[in-house]
mmCIF file of all heavy atoms in Angstrom:
data_model
loop_
_atom_site.group_PDB
_atom_site.id
_atom_site.type_symbol
_atom_site.label_atom_id
_atom_site.label_comp_id
_atom_site.label_asym_id
_atom_site.label_seq_id
_atom_site.Cartn_x
_atom_site.Cartn_y
_atom_site.Cartn_z
ATOM 1 N N ALA A 5 3.396 -1.991 -13.461
ATOM 2 C CA ALA A 5 2.326 -2.328 -12.515
ATOM 3 C C ALA A 5 2.851 -2.360 -11.081
ATOM 4 O O ALA A 5 2.181 -1.895 -10.149
ATOM 5 C CB ALA A 5 1.700 -3.672 -12.893
ATOM 6 N N TYR A 6 4.073 -2.894 -10.892
ATOM 7 C CA TYR A 6 4.662 -2.886 -9.548
ATOM 8 C C TYR A 6 4.907 -1.456 -9.072
ATOM 9 O O TYR A 6 4.727 -1.140 -7.884
ATOM 10 C CB TYR A 6 5.966 -3.686 -9.533
ATOM 11 C CG TYR A 6 5.774 -5.146 -9.192
ATOM 12 C CD1 TYR A 6 5.922 -6.136 -10.152
ATOM 13 C CD2 TYR A 6 5.458 -5.542 -7.890
ATOM 14 C CE1 TYR A 6 5.755 -7.487 -9.846
ATOM 15 C CE2 TYR A 6 5.287 -6.881 -7.573
ATOM 16 C CZ TYR A 6 5.433 -7.851 -8.544
ATOM 17 O OH TYR A 6 5.257 -9.180 -8.228
ATOM 18 N N MET A 7 5.331 -0.574 -9.983
ATOM 19 C CA MET A 7 5.503 0.832 -9.613
ATOM 20 C C MET A 7 4.181 1.429 -9.148
ATOM 21 O O MET A 7 4.128 2.164 -8.159
ATOM 22 C CB MET A 7 6.032 1.632 -10.811
ATOM 23 C CG MET A 7 7.461 1.363 -11.194
ATOM 24 S SD MET A 7 7.933 2.359 -12.636
ATOM 25 C CE MET A 7 9.559 1.676 -12.989
ATOM 26 N N ALA A 8 3.101 1.107 -9.869
ATOM 27 C CA ALA A 8 1.786 1.667 -9.548
ATOM 28 C C ALA A 8 1.315 1.245 -8.164
ATOM 29 O O ALA A 8 0.580 1.982 -7.492
ATOM 30 C CB ALA A 8 0.765 1.257 -10.607
ATOM 31 N N THR A 9 1.735 0.071 -7.713
ATOM 32 C CA THR A 9 1.329 -0.397 -6.380
ATOM 33 C C THR A 9 2.271 0.081 -5.281
ATOM 34 O O THR A 9 2.002 -0.137 -4.093
ATOM 35 C CB THR A 9 1.276 -1.939 -6.340
ATOM 36 O OG1 THR A 9 2.599 -2.456 -6.548
ATOM 37 C CG2 THR A 9 0.323 -2.484 -7.384
ATOM 38 N N GLY A 10 3.395 0.683 -5.666
ATOM 39 C CA GLY A 10 4.376 1.123 -4.678
ATOM 40 C C GLY A 10 5.345 0.043 -4.268
ATOM 41 O O GLY A 10 6.082 0.209 -3.289
ATOM 42 N N ASN A 11 5.382 -1.053 -5.011
ATOM 43 C CA ASN A 11 6.237 -2.185 -4.645
ATOM 44 C C ASN A 11 7.411 -2.380 -5.592
ATOM 45 O O ASN A 11 7.945 -3.486 -5.715
ATOM 46 C CB ASN A 11 5.402 -3.471 -4.589
ATOM 47 C CG ASN A 11 4.451 -3.468 -3.414
ATOM 48 O OD1 ASN A 11 4.847 -3.157 -2.295
ATOM 49 N ND2 ASN A 11 3.194 -3.793 -3.668
ATOM 50 N N TYR A 12 7.798 -1.295 -6.298
ATOM 51 C CA TYR A 12 8.987 -1.356 -7.156
ATOM 52 C C TYR A 12 10.134 -0.674 -6.422
ATOM 53 O O TYR A 12 9.947 0.393 -5.827
ATOM 54 C CB TYR A 12 8.720 -0.638 -8.476
ATOM 55 C CG TYR A 12 9.946 -0.561 -9.370
ATOM 56 C CD1 TYR A 12 10.180 -1.543 -10.321
ATOM 57 C CD2 TYR A 12 10.852 0.491 -9.253
ATOM 58 C CE1 TYR A 12 11.304 -1.475 -11.128
ATOM 59 C CE2 TYR A 12 11.974 0.554 -10.046
ATOM 60 C CZ TYR A 12 12.204 -0.423 -10.981
ATOM 61 O OH TYR A 12 13.327 -0.368 -11.779
ATOM 62 N N PRO A 13 11.320 -1.232 -6.429
ATOM 63 C CA PRO A 13 11.735 -2.476 -7.097
ATOM 64 C C PRO A 13 11.642 -3.705 -6.200
ATOM 65 O O PRO A 13 11.821 -4.832 -6.666
ATOM 66 C CB PRO A 13 13.198 -2.183 -7.438
ATOM 67 C CG PRO A 13 13.665 -1.314 -6.304
ATOM 68 C CD PRO A 13 12.473 -0.463 -5.925
ATOM 69 N N GLN A 14 11.382 -3.475 -4.895
ATOM 70 C CA GLN A 14 11.532 -4.562 -3.924
ATOM 71 C C GLN A 14 10.584 -5.734 -4.174
ATOM 72 O O GLN A 14 10.913 -6.884 -3.839
ATOM 73 C CB GLN A 14 11.330 -4.023 -2.494
ATOM 74 C CG GLN A 14 9.922 -3.576 -2.140
ATOM 75 C CD GLN A 14 9.584 -2.180 -2.608
ATOM 76 O OE1 GLN A 14 10.376 -1.565 -3.318
ATOM 77 N NE2 GLN A 14 8.420 -1.675 -2.220
ATOM 78 N N GLY A 15 9.423 -5.487 -4.769
ATOM 79 C CA GLY A 15 8.457 -6.557 -4.949
ATOM 80 C C GLY A 15 8.599 -7.324 -6.248
ATOM 81 O O GLY A 15 8.012 -8.399 -6.415
ATOM 82 N N VAL A 16 9.366 -6.804 -7.188
ATOM 83 C CA VAL A 16 9.491 -7.440 -8.500
ATOM 84 C C VAL A 16 10.371 -8.680 -8.393
ATOM 85 O O VAL A 16 11.481 -8.606 -7.835
ATOM 86 C CB VAL A 16 10.099 -6.464 -9.530
ATOM 87 C CG1 VAL A 16 10.094 -7.091 -10.925
ATOM 88 C CG2 VAL A 16 9.348 -5.142 -9.531
ATOM 89 N N PRO A 17 9.912 -9.815 -8.890
ATOM 90 C CA PRO A 17 10.775 -11.000 -8.899
ATOM 91 C C PRO A 17 12.104 -10.671 -9.579
ATOM 92 O O PRO A 17 12.112 -10.050 -10.651
ATOM 93 C CB PRO A 17 9.963 -12.016 -9.721
ATOM 94 C CG PRO A 17 8.541 -11.593 -9.521
ATOM 95 C CD PRO A 17 8.572 -10.101 -9.454
ATOM 96 N N PRO A 18 13.231 -11.035 -8.969
ATOM 97 C CA PRO A 18 14.546 -10.635 -9.494
ATOM 98 C C PRO A 18 14.747 -10.965 -10.969
ATOM 99 O O PRO A 18 15.385 -10.205 -11.696
ATOM 100 C CB PRO A 18 15.523 -11.414 -8.599
ATOM 101 C CG PRO A 18 14.767 -11.628 -7.320
ATOM 102 C CD PRO A 18 13.331 -11.816 -7.732
ATOM 103 N N GLN A 19 14.196 -12.112 -11.407
ATOM 104 C CA GLN A 19 14.417 -12.506 -12.798
ATOM 105 C C GLN A 19 13.649 -11.634 -13.789
ATOM 106 O O GLN A 19 13.931 -11.657 -14.992
ATOM 107 C CB GLN A 19 14.047 -13.976 -13.006
ATOM 108 C CG GLN A 19 12.545 -14.309 -12.909
ATOM 109 C CD GLN A 19 12.085 -14.602 -11.494
ATOM 110 O OE1 GLN A 19 12.665 -14.096 -10.525
ATOM 111 N NE2 GLN A 19 11.070 -15.431 -11.356
ATOM 112 N N PHE A 20 12.693 -10.830 -13.274
ATOM 113 C CA PHE A 20 11.903 -9.975 -14.156
ATOM 114 C C PHE A 20 12.151 -8.484 -13.919
ATOM 115 O O PHE A 20 11.575 -7.640 -14.597
ATOM 116 C CB PHE A 20 10.409 -10.252 -13.961
ATOM 117 C CG PHE A 20 10.006 -11.663 -14.262
ATOM 118 C CD1 PHE A 20 9.076 -12.332 -13.458
ATOM 119 C CD2 PHE A 20 10.555 -12.346 -15.344
ATOM 120 C CE1 PHE A 20 8.702 -13.638 -13.732
ATOM 121 C CE2 PHE A 20 10.183 -13.663 -15.620
ATOM 122 C CZ PHE A 20 9.254 -14.306 -14.807
ATOM 123 N N LEU A 21 13.019 -8.149 -12.979
ATOM 124 C CA LEU A 21 13.246 -6.746 -12.622
ATOM 125 C C LEU A 21 13.975 -6.005 -13.743
ATOM 126 O O LEU A 21 14.963 -6.492 -14.298
ATOM 127 C CB LEU A 21 14.065 -6.663 -11.332
ATOM 128 C CG LEU A 21 14.438 -5.256 -10.858
ATOM 129 C CD1 LEU A 21 13.189 -4.463 -10.472
ATOM 130 C CD2 LEU A 21 15.420 -5.334 -9.682
ATOM 131 N N LEU A 22 13.483 -4.818 -14.063
ATOM 132 C CA LEU A 22 14.151 -3.895 -14.974
ATOM 133 C C LEU A 22 14.610 -2.703 -14.146
ATOM 134 O O LEU A 22 13.792 -2.009 -13.543
ATOM 135 C CB LEU A 22 13.206 -3.435 -16.094
ATOM 136 C CG LEU A 22 12.686 -4.518 -17.039
ATOM 137 C CD1 LEU A 22 11.643 -3.935 -17.992
ATOM 138 C CD2 LEU A 22 13.838 -5.139 -17.825
ATOM 139 N N THR A 23 15.910 -2.478 -14.091
ATOM 140 C CA THR A 23 16.441 -1.417 -13.242
ATOM 141 C C THR A 23 16.442 -0.082 -13.976
ATOM 142 O O THR A 23 16.562 -0.020 -15.213
ATOM 143 C CB THR A 23 17.865 -1.740 -12.780
ATOM 144 O OG1 THR A 23 18.703 -1.921 -13.931
ATOM 145 C CG2 THR A 23 17.874 -3.007 -11.943
ATOM 146 N N LEU A 24 16.325 0.994 -13.212
ATOM 147 C CA LEU A 24 16.351 2.337 -13.780
ATOM 148 C C LEU A 24 17.778 2.703 -14.159
ATOM 149 O O LEU A 24 18.737 2.290 -13.501
ATOM 150 C CB LEU A 24 15.823 3.353 -12.763
ATOM 151 C CG LEU A 24 14.389 3.153 -12.275
ATOM 152 C CD1 LEU A 24 14.056 4.187 -11.211
ATOM 153 C CD2 LEU A 24 13.410 3.261 -13.432
ATOM 154 N N PRO A 25 17.943 3.495 -15.225
ATOM 155 C CA PRO A 25 19.295 3.918 -15.600
ATOM 156 C C PRO A 25 19.885 4.835 -14.537
ATOM 157 O O PRO A 25 19.162 5.582 -13.868
ATOM 158 C CB PRO A 25 19.077 4.652 -16.925
ATOM 159 C CG PRO A 25 17.648 5.086 -16.893
ATOM 160 C CD PRO A 25 16.919 4.016 -16.143
ATOM 161 N N ALA A 26 21.199 4.789 -14.390
ATOM 162 C CA ALA A 26 21.875 5.633 -13.412
ATOM 163 C C ALA A 26 21.782 7.094 -13.829
ATOM 164 O O ALA A 26 21.807 7.418 -15.020
ATOM 165 C CB ALA A 26 23.335 5.216 -13.285
ATOM 166 N N ALA A 27 21.646 7.980 -12.863
ATOM 167 C CA ALA A 27 21.569 9.407 -13.148
ATOM 168 C C ALA A 27 22.916 9.914 -13.647
ATOM 169 O O ALA A 27 23.976 9.420 -13.247
ATOM 170 C CB ALA A 27 21.151 10.170 -11.898
ATOM 171 N N ASP A 28 22.876 10.895 -14.553
ATOM 172 C CA ASP A 28 24.084 11.521 -15.077
ATOM 173 C C ASP A 28 24.510 12.604 -14.092
ATOM 174 O O ASP A 28 23.915 13.683 -14.039
ATOM 175 C CB ASP A 28 23.810 12.117 -16.451
ATOM 176 C CG ASP A 28 25.079 12.590 -17.151
ATOM 177 O OD1 ASP A 28 26.038 12.943 -16.440
ATOM 178 O OD2 ASP A 28 25.105 12.621 -18.392
ATOM 179 N N SER A 29 25.542 12.320 -13.307
ATOM 180 C CA SER A 29 25.954 13.251 -12.254
ATOM 181 C C SER A 29 26.488 14.563 -12.807
ATOM 182 O O SER A 29 26.546 15.567 -12.086
ATOM 183 C CB SER A 29 27.021 12.594 -11.367
ATOM 184 O OG SER A 29 28.153 12.218 -12.141
ATOM 185 N N SER A 30 26.864 14.572 -14.082
ATOM 186 C CA SER A 30 27.389 15.800 -14.679
ATOM 187 C C SER A 30 26.276 16.755 -15.087
ATOM 188 O O SER A 30 26.555 17.896 -15.460
ATOM 189 C CB SER A 30 28.250 15.468 -15.904
ATOM 190 O OG SER A 30 27.453 14.916 -16.943
ATOM 191 N N CYS A 31 25.019 16.293 -15.022
ATOM 192 C CA CYS A 31 23.880 17.132 -15.423
ATOM 193 C C CYS A 31 22.809 17.123 -14.339
ATOM 194 O O CYS A 31 21.721 16.556 -14.533
ATOM 195 C CB CYS A 31 23.285 16.633 -16.741
ATOM 196 S SG CYS A 31 24.352 16.858 -18.151
ATOM 197 N N PRO A 32 23.078 17.722 -13.198
ATOM 198 C CA PRO A 32 22.044 17.770 -12.152
ATOM 199 C C PRO A 32 20.853 18.600 -12.602
ATOM 200 O O PRO A 32 21.008 19.718 -13.104
ATOM 201 C CB PRO A 32 22.777 18.423 -10.976
ATOM 202 C CG PRO A 32 23.888 19.218 -11.604
ATOM 203 C CD PRO A 32 24.313 18.436 -12.811
ATOM 204 N N ILE A 33 19.668 18.053 -12.449
ATOM 205 C CA ILE A 33 18.445 18.721 -12.886
ATOM 206 C C ILE A 33 17.457 18.764 -11.730
ATOM 207 O O ILE A 33 17.182 17.741 -11.100
ATOM 208 C CB ILE A 33 17.804 17.976 -14.086
ATOM 209 C CG1 ILE A 33 18.709 18.076 -15.316
ATOM 210 C CG2 ILE A 33 16.429 18.535 -14.411
ATOM 211 C CD1 ILE A 33 18.836 19.465 -15.900
ATOM 212 N N LYS A 34 16.922 19.933 -11.472
ATOM 213 C CA LYS A 34 15.873 20.049 -10.469
ATOM 214 C C LYS A 34 14.557 19.591 -11.079
ATOM 215 O O LYS A 34 14.268 19.884 -12.244
ATOM 216 C CB LYS A 34 15.758 21.492 -9.993
ATOM 217 C CG LYS A 34 17.004 22.017 -9.305
ATOM 218 C CD LYS A 34 16.843 23.486 -8.923
ATOM 219 C CE LYS A 34 18.125 24.042 -8.316
ATOM 220 N NZ LYS A 34 17.992 25.494 -8.009
ATOM 221 N N PRO A 35 13.733 18.870 -10.331
ATOM 222 C CA PRO A 35 12.504 18.307 -10.907
ATOM 223 C C PRO A 35 11.475 19.371 -11.277
ATOM 224 O O PRO A 35 11.272 20.343 -10.546
ATOM 225 C CB PRO A 35 11.982 17.396 -9.795
ATOM 226 C CG PRO A 35 12.579 17.944 -8.542
ATOM 227 C CD PRO A 35 13.923 18.490 -8.922
ATOM 228 N N PHE A 36 10.841 19.170 -12.418
ATOM 229 C CA PHE A 36 9.710 19.977 -12.833
ATOM 230 C C PHE A 36 8.470 19.486 -12.077
ATOM 231 O O PHE A 36 8.463 18.405 -11.510
ATOM 232 C CB PHE A 36 9.467 19.850 -14.334
ATOM 233 C CG PHE A 36 10.499 20.518 -15.204
ATOM 234 C CD1 PHE A 36 11.837 20.158 -15.164
ATOM 235 C CD2 PHE A 36 10.122 21.507 -16.100
ATOM 236 C CE1 PHE A 36 12.782 20.759 -15.975
ATOM 237 C CE2 PHE A 36 11.048 22.118 -16.921
ATOM 238 C CZ PHE A 36 12.372 21.749 -16.870
ATOM 239 N N ARG A 37 7.399 20.270 -12.131
ATOM 240 C CA ARG A 37 6.159 19.867 -11.468
ATOM 241 C C ARG A 37 4.988 20.156 -12.400
ATOM 242 O O ARG A 37 4.890 21.262 -12.963
ATOM 243 C CB ARG A 37 5.987 20.635 -10.158
ATOM 244 C CG ARG A 37 4.762 20.225 -9.354
ATOM 245 C CD ARG A 37 4.634 21.073 -8.101
ATOM 246 N NE ARG A 37 3.399 20.769 -7.371
ATOM 247 C CZ ARG A 37 2.905 21.530 -6.412
ATOM 248 N NH1 ARG A 37 3.533 22.644 -6.046
ATOM 249 N NH2 ARG A 37 1.787 21.205 -5.794
ATOM 250 N N ASP A 38 4.115 19.194 -12.583
ATOM 251 C CA ASP A 38 2.950 19.361 -13.447
ATOM 252 C C ASP A 38 1.873 20.170 -12.705
ATOM 253 O O ASP A 38 1.247 19.674 -11.775
ATOM 254 C CB ASP A 38 2.399 18.000 -13.865
ATOM 255 C CG ASP A 38 1.226 18.121 -14.843
ATOM 256 O OD1 ASP A 38 0.865 19.257 -15.214
ATOM 257 O OD2 ASP A 38 0.675 17.074 -15.237
ATOM 258 N N LEU A 39 1.663 21.411 -13.152
ATOM 259 C CA LEU A 39 0.678 22.290 -12.524
ATOM 260 C C LEU A 39 -0.490 22.606 -13.458
ATOM 261 O O LEU A 39 -1.172 23.611 -13.283
ATOM 262 C CB LEU A 39 1.343 23.603 -12.086
ATOM 263 C CG LEU A 39 2.336 23.528 -10.926
ATOM 264 C CD1 LEU A 39 2.815 24.922 -10.554
ATOM 265 C CD2 LEU A 39 1.709 22.855 -9.723
ATOM 266 N N SER A 40 -0.720 21.757 -14.444
ATOM 267 C CA SER A 40 -1.773 22.050 -15.417
ATOM 268 C C SER A 40 -3.139 22.183 -14.755
ATOM 269 O O SER A 40 -3.934 23.068 -15.117
ATOM 270 C CB SER A 40 -1.819 20.967 -16.498
ATOM 271 O OG SER A 40 -2.035 19.689 -15.924
ATOM 272 N N ALA A 41 -3.440 21.336 -13.781
ATOM 273 C CA ALA A 41 -4.743 21.399 -13.118
ATOM 274 C C ALA A 41 -4.884 22.683 -12.308
ATOM 275 O O ALA A 41 -5.941 23.327 -12.316
ATOM 276 C CB ALA A 41 -4.937 20.176 -12.225
ATOM 277 N N ARG A 42 -3.829 23.067 -11.631
ATOM 278 C CA ARG A 42 -3.880 24.281 -10.815
ATOM 279 C C ARG A 42 -4.111 25.514 -11.679
ATOM 280 O O ARG A 42 -4.818 26.451 -11.295
ATOM 281 C CB ARG A 42 -2.583 24.428 -10.019
ATOM 282 C CG ARG A 42 -2.525 25.687 -9.160
ATOM 283 C CD ARG A 42 -1.278 25.699 -8.298
ATOM 284 N NE ARG A 42 -1.349 24.693 -7.250
ATOM 285 C CZ ARG A 42 -1.949 24.875 -6.080
ATOM 286 N NH1 ARG A 42 -2.559 26.014 -5.818
ATOM 287 N NH2 ARG A 42 -1.968 23.923 -5.181
ATOM 288 N N VAL A 43 -3.521 25.532 -12.876
ATOM 289 C CA VAL A 43 -3.634 26.687 -13.759
ATOM 290 C C VAL A 43 -4.900 26.607 -14.618
ATOM 291 O O VAL A 43 -5.282 27.576 -15.260
ATOM 292 C CB VAL A 43 -2.371 26.789 -14.647
ATOM 293 C CG1 VAL A 43 -2.391 28.016 -15.530
ATOM 294 C CG2 VAL A 43 -1.120 26.824 -13.766
ATOM 295 N N GLY A 44 -5.549 25.439 -14.627
ATOM 296 C CA GLY A 44 -6.758 25.281 -15.432
ATOM 297 C C GLY A 44 -6.497 24.940 -16.877
ATOM 298 O O GLY A 44 -7.350 25.143 -17.753
ATOM 299 N N LEU A 45 -5.305 24.385 -17.172
ATOM 300 C CA LEU A 45 -4.947 24.040 -18.544
ATOM 301 C C LEU A 45 -4.879 22.526 -18.750
ATOM 302 O O LEU A 45 -4.293 22.068 -19.722
ATOM 303 C CB LEU A 45 -3.594 24.672 -18.901
ATOM 304 C CG LEU A 45 -3.558 26.200 -18.849
ATOM 305 C CD1 LEU A 45 -2.144 26.709 -19.094
ATOM 306 C CD2 LEU A 45 -4.520 26.796 -19.870
ATOM 307 N N ASN A 46 -5.482 21.779 -17.844
ATOM 308 C CA ASN A 46 -5.469 20.313 -17.916
ATOM 309 C C ASN A 46 -6.596 19.817 -18.824
ATOM 310 O O ASN A 46 -7.455 19.038 -18.408
ATOM 311 C CB ASN A 46 -5.583 19.704 -16.520
ATOM 312 C CG ASN A 46 -6.794 20.200 -15.749
ATOM 313 O OD1 ASN A 46 -7.238 21.334 -15.933
ATOM 314 N ND2 ASN A 46 -7.340 19.355 -14.888
ATOM 315 N N ILE A 47 -6.558 20.251 -20.055
ATOM 316 C CA ILE A 47 -7.564 19.855 -21.041
ATOM 317 C C ILE A 47 -7.454 18.354 -21.274
ATOM 318 O O ILE A 47 -6.356 17.826 -21.459
ATOM 319 C CB ILE A 47 -7.345 20.615 -22.360
ATOM 320 C CG1 ILE A 47 -7.340 22.122 -22.104
ATOM 321 C CG2 ILE A 47 -8.404 20.244 -23.387
ATOM 322 C CD1 ILE A 47 -6.678 22.916 -23.217
ATOM 323 N N LYS A 48 -8.573 17.672 -21.276
ATOM 324 C CA LYS A 48 -8.574 16.222 -21.459
ATOM 325 C C LYS A 48 -9.247 15.899 -22.795
ATOM 326 O O LYS A 48 -10.428 16.134 -22.979
ATOM 327 C CB LYS A 48 -9.317 15.523 -20.321
ATOM 328 C CG LYS A 48 -9.377 14.005 -20.422
ATOM 329 C CD LYS A 48 -10.043 13.414 -19.176
ATOM 330 C CE LYS A 48 -10.164 11.903 -19.269
ATOM 331 N NZ LYS A 48 -11.222 11.490 -20.221
ATOM 332 N N ASN A 49 -8.440 15.416 -23.715
ATOM 333 C CA ASN A 49 -8.979 14.962 -24.996
ATOM 334 C C ASN A 49 -8.015 13.967 -25.633
ATOM 335 O O ASN A 49 -7.028 13.563 -25.027
ATOM 336 C CB ASN A 49 -9.277 16.125 -25.940
ATOM 337 C CG ASN A 49 -8.123 17.089 -26.133
ATOM 338 O OD1 ASN A 49 -8.307 18.302 -26.116
ATOM 339 N ND2 ASN A 49 -6.905 16.592 -26.306
#
């Protein structure tokens, strides 16, 4: 919920914060992009 509001991680009370795992530097990956809507394949069911 804090992520959805844009207030993660800074807004999460420290005692409840869950940190993201560290990236594996040996496996750099370029981000994928969801283009289903642009291609017209964003079927909703």
